[in-house]
Amino acid sequence: MSTYEAGQYDVIVIGAGHAGVEAAHAAARRGAKTLMLTLNLDMIAFMPCNPSIGGPAKGIVVREVDALGGLMGKVIDKTYIQMRMLNTGKGPAVRALRAQADKPLYIQEMKSILEKEPNLTLRQGVVEQLLMEDGKCKGVITETKALYRAKTVIITTGTFMRGRVIIGDISYESGPNNQRASVKLAEHLEELGFDLVRFKTGTPPRVHNQSIDYGKTEIQPGDEHPQHFSYETTEAILDQIPCWLTYTNEKTHEVINENLGLSAMYSGMIKGTGPRYCPSIEDKIVRFHDKPRHQVFLEPEGKNTDEVYVQGLSTSLPEYVQHQILRSIPGLEEAEIMRAGYAIEYDAVVPTQLWPTLEVKNIEGLFTAGQINGTSGYEEAAGQGIMAGINAAAKALGKDSVILDRSQAYIGVLIDDLVTKGTNEPYRLLTSRAEYRLLLRHDNADLRLTELGYKLGLISKERYQRFEEKKHLIEEEKERLSKVRLKPTEELQQLMESIGGTRLKDGVLAYDLLKRPEVTYDVIEQVTPSEKDLAADVKEQVEIQIKYQGYISKSNQQVEKLKKMESKVIPENIDYDAISGIATEAREKLKKVRPLSVAQASRISGVNPADISILLVYIEQGNVAKVSSE
Amino acid sequence: METDTIAAISTPIGEGAIAIVRLTGEEAIPIVNRLFDGKSLEEVASHTINYGKIVEPKEKEVIEEVMVNVMRAPKTFTKEDVVEINCHGGLASVNRLLELVLANGARLAEPGEFTKRAFLNGRIDLSQAEAVMDLIRAKTDKAMNIALKQLDGKLSKQVSQLRHQLIETVAHVEVNIDYPEYDDVEEMSHQLLKEKTKYVYQEVERLLSMAKQGKILREGIATAIIGRPNVGKSSLLNALVQETKAIVTDIPGTTRDVIEEYVNIRGIPLRLVDTAGIRETEDIVEKIGVERSREALKQSDLILLVLNNGEELTEEDRQLFEAVKGLEYIVIVNKTDLPQKLNLEEVKQLAGDQKVITTTLIEDEGIDKLEEAIADTFFMGDIETGDMSYVSNVRHIQLLQQTLQALDDARNAIEADMPIDLVQIDVTRAWELLGEIIGDTVQDSLIDQLFSQFCLGK
């Protein structure tokens, strides 16, 4: 059957999940005429798993997406039912926001923003094939035979590719939440030579709000004064809804152990690799069998729905066993399941097939982003989505591509890890994956990325001016504090003692006083207030930058050192076979990953320092002339 | 580029009865075979020793009787074909042999190039490579043992254990950060972190103090013998030499006699130094004055000040005491067979904290006391023999010192009440530094640790 010409675009985005929406929005904002195709327009930015956004590392990604001009932060700030700042007892580098989302509202809000984007077209449709010309991707063909032409295409199909839902011994082809799976596209990618891998994830049952006895659980309220993800948000949502905490017990574990053979995970029905950080309840009980109980969080899925997400009970056990498990738990004795938990298996692209721009190495013009690249999590998807959108638009419009480095953003860490190391399991960001996490803070995401977002056209002029003003005020106040010398007056001495500090021996610069552990900016303000009415985020920056200056500059020095290696570019036409002395494993890895710099090469697992020194010697010697003749 | 055949004399020059010329590379066997009168080395089995003669091919002149060790790749030190020619230790003959293999297609190896090759061929890790370097330079049996043990990875094992301690602690902090609601693990407190890192700190300190001993063992204790004429310095030297059957080394190019001699007392090497170029140290003070003598003597780790029991203390003796003040020295009151005229009380007073021993060297009496005194001075009486693993390499020592510094920073940060995740930066740094010693800094292992130690995931 022949196709019909349905339109011409700069960028086409396949999929409208958390990666797809950011990609489409960023591309459109960068000036590309963009088409977003999705299976179901009612499910834009749907959250098939937990109803929350943010958390350690992930929350900082949301801030980064926002600092670059993306959507996730803005939308969740308008639709949260609860907001909490986590790790407040720890240092500034690991503080992170987490919001409980109103799922249906989130979808509505996202869709409405996208619909208003002038350069962006939304359309429902199932892509079955890519239009390939001369080995390059030039467009897509849908199930209804519409042919859309484009300069670049981004695939963000999440867990839909050959998705298969499994509950006990029941299994059927499906995307998450019983949506259609994307089968033909997966087959097509395989034909195009993609290296695909089978991953697995899972979700717990949802129960009816009215069937829960909250009296037997612990309340988990939101923050009294909620902070926000987006630098543009000005208004807080005041009527927050709490979550609830309960625990599994011996009885629960007994039920699970008795039925272990029925779990799809253990009966051998599931072949895909699941994530260690998000194990099913049966996994937890098998691997940590001496733990007497596990936490179970009850999280409302929205204000206008009675569905409650049972966080911590992800499972692929049969539906009737899920009933038994739930009813063994305090507060859930009468629980009514509204949706059963399930495991889902899907195809993912081995991400080492991608350049750090997220363009596919072997197919020019094609990008992939989000869970299809082997990650998990809405935030990880959004972070890749915005970068794929930026770079696909750049390619279509003949502009420069953008690669964030590891010292610049968690998004940089995420993408570098994926394309350099690949992943054996669904990849989740953790703060420990970032070697410079003190530089990648929640509080300074704007200082790191807003300038870039503005240059790319994703940040409005008005917002950028506000940002410039903030930056100026921070520097000015730091400068001021470095000049104000405080005399050890009796008043100041008493103040020091009242906050648990020691008396001053001598006069001291306000700047140095702020470095004392017990001294906050508020204390400084009492002693020497600024003439200006500084905003809370300016004060926060001044305090953090001064207080942790020693650590921050140490990190900066490390970054500088690494920059030397980052700047050692590996010629694109290098022939690794011509370099003698490199270990076979390292050679194969280098040929596959094709790192852009020596620093990136050194991060490939299996490439040892010896290989790097040989590679360095080789590059230094200028032996690169020995490229293969093809 | 890296595959040509290199050769070098692999034994310390002039130090042994046997010297070895070693070759590595694709051409190693054919090159030696061309010079070899005996079995065809191209056909002998790998890892065999073959007797024969080295013959200069043009003149057919027999150069040397040799044993040739043939080791084929990859089970060799460099993972390449390796040939070792064992010949007599004389400098001239071994040099001639080297010249011959170089004339026949081998290239003179740069310093350390064998090891570098082994390293580049993935044969050994960094710490092993450096141990090999030390092995080559090993001067005494004990130093040899240390280098061997390090090659076996004994140090690696110890360092790995310390790293494990640190990574557990770090994983603990990480789990608090990444899973703030996870309630199954105690929140890592400053106190807890302090305790956990303290142990590692002490262990690293111990490795470092061992390192000092290791250095002494490897390089020898630079020792000067001083005293007035005829107090028994020569007897002392002879006694030491006899005791250890040390070889007096002729350094080529010096027509004068010995510059450095090694003697080995129960495994402790003494490197007898020629102080300030003045061979006759009895007249050192007279020649260059007390102050300059001090400067010259400072280069020694140990000074043996010999006195004559049969004579009263002279002005010269007192000047010698003046010259060694504040340095490490042992007073040897010799000739106890003679009637005592020396005022021992005065000597002890002059010596202060330093040890005074009595000997009759002419009758070989008292050397054991000297050994004891040396052991006391340098090893706190307790030379760890046998089971100890010393860190004997400059790079390792530096890394251990940096580790100590990082742990110290962590401790200071704890004192300053810094947030735990910042303290943890220095703990992680210590973990990485230890990893550099054994060439292992893979990030992923932290994440593996995290998930095997804790049951995570909401």
Side-chain angles (χ1 to χ4, degrees):
Chain A
M1 194 181 146
S2 62
T3 56
Y4 78 97
E5 292 282 344
Q8 179 116 28
Y9 295 86
D10 292 321
V11 177
I12 293 174
V13 180
I14 308 170
H18 302 282
V21 295
E22 298 292 352
H25 175 257
R29 273 298 179 97
R30 242 200 133 171
K33 189 184 170 203
T34 306
L35 170 70
M36 185 169 76
L37 286 164
T38 171
L39 289 167
N40 186 342
L41 276 173
D42 295 329
M43 302 294 267
I44 287 175
F46 173 63
M47 299 183 198
C49 201
N50 58 328
S52 74
I53 280 179
K58 289 160 166 277
I60 300 176
V61 170
V62 182
R63 292 281 275 184
E64 290 171 354
V65 168
D66 182 71
L68 285 168
L71 297 175
M72 183 173 254
K74 286 188 196 79
V75 176
I76 186 63
D77 282 351
K78 282 192 181 159
T79 60
Y80 65 90
I81 60 169
Q82 180 189 111
M83 188 72 84
R84 280 182 71 186
M85 182 62 94
L86 304 171
N87 286 335
T88 48
K90 303 191 181 80
V94 297
R95 275 171 219 154
L97 262 188
R98 192 184 60 211
Q100 295 301 133
D102 187 317
K103 280 189 184 181
L105 221 53
Y106 191 89
I107 293 173
Q108 277 177 33
E109 180 65 26
M110 185 66 82
K111 190 175 178 210
S112 139
I113 290 178
L114 292 174
E115 282 171 346
K116 292 189 187 89
E117 195 58 49
N119 259 338
L120 178 60
T121 305
L122 274 57
R123 193 153 298 170
Q124 189 160 298
V126 180
V127 172
E128 292 192 334
Q129 267 191 53
L130 302 174
L131 175 66
M132 297 293 298
E133 282 172 10
D134 307 325
K136 294 178 187 169
C137 182
K138 294 285 190 183
V140 302
I141 300 162
T142 68
E143 167 179 71
T144 51
K145 302 304 163 197
L147 169 64
Y148 297 97
R149 292 182 189 274
K151 292 177 182 141
T152 55
V153 173
I154 309 171
I155 309 179
T156 67
T157 48
T159 60
F160 281 74
M161 287 219 303
R162 272 194 287 226
R164 175 160 288 277
V165 163
I166 304 132
I167 309 172
D169 58 351
I170 297 153
S171 141
Y172 53 92
E173 192 174 86
S174 171
N177 203 36
N178 287 350
Q179 298 185 79
R180 287 178 65 186
S182 174
V183 177
K184 292 227 167 114
L185 184 60
E187 286 166 0
H188 181 62
L189 291 184
E190 207 157 47
E191 280 163 25
L192 288 172
F194 267 91
D195 195 359
L196 301 177
V197 61
R198 200 81 176 143
F199 277 167
K200 168 255 159 186
T201 185
T203 182
R206 275 59 150 187
V207 298
H208 199 290
N209 177 40
Q210 307 284 337
S211 68
I212 301 171
D213 181 357
Y214 289 109
K216 295 180 178 168
T217 66
E218 298 162 28
I219 192 163
Q220 304 263 299
D223 290 345
E224 205 175 322
H225 303 288
Q227 299 187 48
H228 296 99
F229 284 106
S230 175
Y231 287 93
E232 292 186 28
T233 301
T234 48
E235 276 176 48
I237 294 173
L238 297 174
D239 50 337
Q240 296 188 53
I241 299 177
C243 296
W244 305 85
L245 171 62
T246 179
Y247 296 91
T248 63
N249 52 40
E250 256 171 53
K251 178 87 180 83
T252 319
H253 301 186
E254 224 176 272
V255 173
I256 291 166
N257 276 321
E258 274 166 20
N259 292 286
L260 212 52
L262 302 173
S263 160
M265 279 304 294
Y266 287 88
S267 65
M269 280 204 51
I270 292 179
K271 304 267 189 310
T273 312
R276 282 177 297 181
Y277 48 79
C278 196
S280 61
I281 186 68
E282 47 268 39
D283 250 357
K284 292 187 202 173
I285 281 156
V286 170
R287 288 187 49 226
F288 296 89
H289 49 84
D290 49 352
K291 249 195 100 166
R293 63 177 199 175
H294 296 272
Q295 290 166 313
V296 174
F297 292 90
L298 304 171
E299 304 177 351
E301 296 222 327
K303 276 181 182 160
N304 297 312
T305 170
D306 264 330
E307 280 193 81
V308 174
Y309 185 88
V310 187
Q311 181 86 268
L313 275 193
S314 169
T315 182
S316 61
L317 281 161
E319 203 172 281
Y320 73 92
V321 182
Q322 295 186 25
H323 278 283
Q324 290 175 35
I325 293 172
L326 284 168
R327 291 179 175 190
S328 69
I329 296 172
L332 299 177
E333 293 89 345
E334 309 282 322
E336 290 295 334
I337 292 181
M338 291 181 75
R339 301 179 206 215
Y342 58 85
I344 183 166
E345 271 193 322
Y346 56 96
D347 282 353
V349 164
V350 172
T352 48
Q353 293 168 102
L354 311 173
W355 295 117
T357 57
L358 297 179
E359 187 175 9
V360 178
K361 284 171 192 162
N362 292 331
I363 302 178
E364 205 183 324
L366 182 64
F367 295 71
T368 62
Q371 205 154 359
I372 186 178
N373 287 344
T375 59
S376 110
Y378 313 139
E379 305 83 355
E380 285 88 343
Q384 291 172 69
I386 193 167
M387 294 317 294
I390 287 167
N391 284 318
K395 180 135 194 156
L397 304 174
K399 294 180 181 170
D400 287 341
S401 58
V402 178
I403 298 168
L404 300 177
D405 70 47
R406 299 180 73 90
S407 61
Q408 206 175 359
Y410 269 99
I411 299 174
V413 173
L414 162 70
I415 294 176
D416 182 65
D417 275 352
L418 288 174
V419 304
T420 307
K421 297 178 183 162
T423 182
N424 298 322
E425 65 181 330
Y427 177 102
R428 179 198 154 149
L429 262 180
L430 298 162
T431 61
S432 51
R433 294 198 197 264
E435 47 281 72
Y436 312 113
R437 73 175 168 209
L438 186 55
L439 303 179
L440 309 182
R441 304 189 305 273
H442 168 90
D443 62 80
N444 71 352
D446 57 341
L447 295 170
R448 290 184 274 128
L449 298 168
T450 297
E451 176 115 33
L452 178 62
Y454 177 66
K455 273 188 196 153
L456 296 171
L458 272 67
I459 296 277
S460 70
K461 183 146 196 178
E462 185 268 324
R463 175 171 168 185
Y464 183 64
Q465 279 166 347
R466 260 194 300 125
F467 164 74
E468 288 275 82
E469 175 65 11
K470 174 183 170 186
K471 223 167 76 173
H472 174 72
L473 288 172
I474 294 166
E475 290 310 314
E476 200 179 58
E477 179 63 359
K478 276 166 63 185
E479 176 76 21
R480 184 181 78 86
L481 295 184
S482 72
K483 288 190 176 137
V484 174
R485 181 165 285 279
L486 302 172
K487 293 196 183 100
T489 60
E490 196 43 42
E491 197 189 343
L492 180 55
Q493 300 287 31
Q494 275 174 14
L495 180 63
M496 288 308 296
E497 280 173 353
S498 74
I499 56 170
T502 49
R503 291 172 71 91
L504 298 172
K505 290 196 188 78
D506 220 333
V508 64
L509 289 174
Y511 194 94
D512 293 327
L513 189 65
L514 185 48
K515 285 183 176 173
R516 288 193 171 198
E518 69 278 8
V519 178
T520 60
Y521 182 83
D522 291 343
V523 174
I524 297 292
E525 208 174 16
Q526 285 180 50
V527 187
T528 167
S530 165
E531 284 170 17
K532 294 187 177 168
D533 184 22
L534 297 176
D537 59 346
V538 171
K539 295 177 189 171
E540 183 190 34
Q541 268 318 302
V542 170
E543 178 176 319
I544 291 172
Q545 289 187 18
I546 293 176
K547 224 173 190 28
Y548 304 109
Q549 190 197 23
Y551 282 96
I552 292 171
S553 55
K554 235 194 222 173
S555 285
N556 277 324
Q557 282 165 15
Q558 282 171 19
V559 172
E560 282 311 308
K561 245 163 81 183
L562 193 80
K563 284 251 161 80
K564 280 183 201 155
M565 294 288 263
E566 295 282 2
S567 69
K568 287 210 189 298
V569 175
I570 300 177
E572 211 179 316
N573 57 357
I574 192 165
D575 178 8
Y576 289 106
D577 286 325
I579 310 175
S580 56
I582 289 188
T584 310
E585 187 196 354
R587 190 190 308 278
E588 292 311 310
K589 290 271 179 71
L590 286 165
K591 280 161 80 173
K592 196 171 164 192
V593 174
R594 288 148 76 185
L596 302 179
S597 69
V598 173
Q600 194 193 349
S602 69
R603 291 192 291 266
I604 301 172
S605 55
V607 176
N608 297 320
D611 303 313
I612 292 299
S613 70
I614 293 166
L615 183 60
L616 269 172
V617 170
Y618 186 79
I619 293 170
E620 300 277 307
Q621 282 177 341
N623 269 342
V624 175
K626 286 188 198 166
V627 291
S628 63
S629 49
E630 337 170 79
Chain B
M1 29 173 281
E2 291 288 344
T3 54
D4 59 351
T5 298
I6 54 173
I9 300 169
S10 66
T11 38
I13 289 169
E15 278 197 17
I18 287 173
I20 296 172
V21 173
R22 183 192 274 163
L23 295 87
T24 180
E26 282 174 0
E27 290 292 305
I29 297 171
I31 288 172
V32 179
N33 199 42
R34 283 201 287 275
L35 308 170
F36 188 67
D37 181 11
K39 278 190 240 170
S40 168
L41 298 177
E42 308 243 35
E43 282 163 42
V44 300
S46 184
H47 294 76
T48 54
I49 294 187
N50 305 278
Y51 169 77
K53 289 168 186 154
I54 293 291
V55 180
E56 201 280 311
K58 278 182 199 151
E59 306 292 330
K60 304 285 174 206
E61 179 198 350
V62 175
I63 308 291
E64 266 269 32
E65 259 185 10
V66 294
M67 301 287 283
V68 176
N69 200 348
V70 175
M71 291 164 283
R72 292 198 167 79
K75 283 188 179 172
T76 67
F77 172 63
T78 56
K79 276 193 166 177
E80 301 170 341
D81 286 351
V82 170
V83 178
E84 288 178 352
I85 309 170
N86 298 257
C87 62
H88 299 299
L91 189 68
S93 63
V94 72
N95 265 344
R96 183 85 196 274
L97 207 57
L98 180 63
E99 278 166 25
L100 211 54
V101 295
L102 294 180
N104 280 274
R107 170 170 69 76
L108 183 64
E110 291 158 19
E113 201 176 356
F114 279 84
T115 310
K116 184 178 154 202
R117 244 188 223 197
F119 175 57
L120 291 184
N121 286 332
R123 178 71 178 79
I124 47 182
D125 72 25
L126 216 52
S127 72
Q128 287 173 319
E130 287 170 19
V132 168
M133 306 291 270
D134 280 353
L135 181 68
I136 294 162
R137 278 183 255 120
K139 295 283 193 203
T140 68
D141 300 347
K142 181 152 273 173
M144 184 80 89
N145 278 336
I146 293 166
L148 276 175
K149 271 188 192 156
Q150 199 169 343
L151 258 176
D152 287 346
K154 177 140 187 177
L155 173 69
S156 299
K157 213 170 158 189
Q158 286 191 358
V159 171
S160 292
Q161 278 165 358
L162 293 181
R163 288 191 89 213
H164 189 72
Q165 298 269 345
L166 290 178
I167 194 84
E168 262 187 6
T169 310
V170 170
H172 193 146
V173 176
E174 293 295 337
V175 82
N176 290 158
I177 292 167
D178 272 330
Y179 294 89
E181 284 155 341
Y182 180 68
D183 66 348
D184 199 41
V185 55
E186 197 182 344
E187 186 82 10
M188 176 63 86
S189 64
H190 282 94
Q191 191 51 38
L192 205 53
L193 192 60
K194 200 172 167 179
E195 282 164 22
K196 297 247 180 190
T197 49
K198 196 174 159 191
Y199 167 77
V200 178
Y201 188 93
Q202 287 167 345
E203 283 300 293
V204 172
E205 252 186 342
R206 197 177 59 82
L207 279 176
L208 271 174
S209 74
M210 289 290 128
K212 276 184 207 146
Q213 297 188 8
K215 181 172 180 286
I216 288 168
L217 290 173
R218 192 175 66 262
E219 292 177 3
I221 299 168
T223 308
I225 302 175
I226 58 171
R228 283 187 294 112
N230 208 24
V231 292
K233 294 191 302 297
S234 303
S235 312
L236 175 60
L237 185 63
N238 287 338
L240 289 173
V241 169
Q242 261 172 24
E243 181 82 2
T244 64
K245 298 179 183 62
I247 296 157
V248 174
T249 309
D250 287 78
I251 301 294
T254 57
T255 50
R256 284 184 62 205
D257 41 16
V258 182
I259 288 180
E260 282 190 1
E261 299 167 27
Y262 278 86
V263 297
N264 189 336
I265 300 174
R266 280 203 211 139
I268 309 171
L270 298 191
R271 182 159 52 91
L272 302 177
V273 295
D274 176 12
T275 311
I278 302 164
R279 175 75 182 128
E280 300 292 319
T281 42
E282 54 247 44
D283 48 15
I284 179 168
V285 173
E286 188 184 319
K287 273 192 179 162
I288 62 175
V290 172
E291 266 318 299
R292 286 186 58 203
S293 301
R294 276 183 69 76
E295 286 307 307
L297 288 168
K298 264 186 189 169
Q299 291 161 18
S300 314
D301 300 319
L302 173 67
I303 297 148
L304 302 179
L305 199 170
V306 188
L307 300 173
N308 187 346
N309 184 54
E311 292 171 16
E312 285 180 22
L313 213 58
T314 67
E315 190 49 36
E316 274 172 287
D317 288 329
R318 291 195 180 88
Q319 280 185 336
L320 286 174
F321 270 108
E322 193 60 31
V324 298
K325 206 171 175 181
L327 306 175
E328 199 73 67
Y329 63 93
I330 294 171
V331 180
I332 299 170
V333 177
N334 191 29
K335 303 196 183 180
T336 45
D337 52 330
L338 300 178
Q340 184 175 348
K341 286 188 181 160
L342 195 72
N343 181 346
L344 213 57
E345 280 313 303
E346 190 187 353
V347 169
K348 280 184 179 162
Q349 214 176 349
L350 282 169
D353 287 344
Q354 303 292 329
K355 292 187 178 61
V356 179
I357 58 167
T358 53
T359 59
T360 312
L361 291 166
I362 201 86
E363 286 167 22
D364 272 351
E365 274 177 38
I367 282 289
D368 52 336
K369 291 185 201 158
L370 178 59
E371 288 169 5
E372 240 169 69
I374 292 172
D376 252 20
T377 307
F378 288 89
F379 300 92
M380 286 165 286
D382 177 30
I383 310 175
E384 303 255 14
T385 49
D387 211 31
M388 258 344 283
S389 168
Y390 299 96
V391 186
S392 59
N393 170 294
V394 178
R395 184 178 147 267
H396 294 165
I397 290 170
Q398 268 175 355
L399 285 167
L400 285 175
Q401 274 161 350
Q402 284 171 22
T403 306
L404 223 47
Q405 183 61 50
L407 291 171
D408 221 24
D409 288 349
R411 198 159 60 180
N412 291 337
I414 290 170
E415 298 299 330
D417 211 17
M418 279 289 176
I420 204 99
D421 53 289
L422 294 184
V423 179
Q424 186 251 4
I425 291 176
D426 290 314
V427 181
T428 307
R429 174 99 190 106
W431 175 70
E432 285 168 354
L433 285 163
L434 289 177
E436 276 181 46
I437 293 176
I438 54 174
D440 179 17
T441 50
V442 186
Q443 269 275 301
D444 275 339
S445 56
L446 171 59
I447 288 162
D448 291 339
Q449 181 68 30
L450 209 59
F451 291 115
S452 60
Q453 201 173 331
F454 303 103
C455 175
L456 300 171
K458 281 182 60 177

